[in-house]
Amino acid sequence: MPKKRDVPKVVEAQAFVLSDAKGKCRARLFADDDYGPVLLLLDSKERVRLTIQLDVGGRPVIQLIGSNQQPALGIGADESNGTGFTIYQPDGKPALVVGTRPLDNTVNASVFDKSGKVVWRSSVVFDRDAPVTPVPVQKRKAKPERS
């Protein structure tokens, strides 16, 4: 029967590095002096592909990084400033930004062109006490098959 080993109840450090069997760094957890805790997940080429951290204001932020090392998707949440997400273009510029603003009870969305210029923006005021009415989804007619 295998012998039970003693495992420390608390491990304390300023940083942790997780390496795979080949010695490549696959994850890093550290405390940044300006932001706070940061978790980085790396691919087999040791490129950062996912970050989970707190921004300067303490807001939690998750960012998915594409293979080109540009942001692909960002998500953030904050009780006072709102919650939102950004979908990025391949060059790292925003393509779509959607977020809430609790101060004025709005949901905002912006769509950007390739240069990063806003091409469409909308804002909707929501009332937390109003009943939610589901919008029916219209079924698309199937296109006739070509022969």
Side-chain angles (χ1 to χ4, degrees):
M1 177 175 244
K3 205 175 195 184
K4 185 177 177 182
R5 62 184 185 143
D6 289 331
V7 178
K9 293 187 190 258
V10 176
V11 177
E12 193 171 320
Q14 291 182 347
F16 292 95
V17 175
L18 178 65
S19 300
D20 64 16
K22 296 178 182 176
K24 290 186 176 183
C25 177
R26 300 306 299 271
R28 293 192 314 239
L29 175 62
F30 59 95
D32 184 276
D33 290 339
D34 295 325
Y35 295 98
V38 177
L39 173 64
L40 305 175
L41 299 184
L42 294 82
D43 65 14
S44 61
K45 296 179 181 176
E46 297 185 289
R47 298 176 300 184
V48 175
R49 299 302 301 274
L50 173 73
T51 65
I52 301 174
Q53 68 185 67
L54 301 179
D55 69 11
V56 176
R59 185 176 94 133
V61 176
I62 299 172
Q63 194 166 58
L64 281 66
I65 311 294
S67 60
N68 62 355
Q69 291 299 278
Q70 295 293 327
L73 174 69
I75 303 168
D78 187 293
E79 293 82 23
S80 59
N81 293 324
T83 300
F85 68 89
T86 302
I87 297 174
Y88 294 91
Q89 300 177 45
D91 64 0
K93 292 179 184 152
L96 171 67
V97 176
V98 177
T100 62
R101 283 186 38 157
L103 299 175
D104 57 6
N105 288 334
T106 60
V107 176
N108 304 290
S110 299
V111 176
F112 300 81
D113 67 12
K114 289 188 178 208
S115 72
K117 180 182 172 188
V118 176
V119 294
W120 178 85
R121 178 174 283 149
S122 182
S123 184
V124 176
V125 177
F126 63 91
D127 180 355
R128 293 176 194 255
D129 298 326
V132 176
T133 305
V135 177
V137 177
Q138 295 182 354
K139 293 184 180 179
R140 296 175 73 184
K141 292 183 181 180
K143 291 183 180 180
E145 292 185 26
R146 294 184 181 173
S147 47

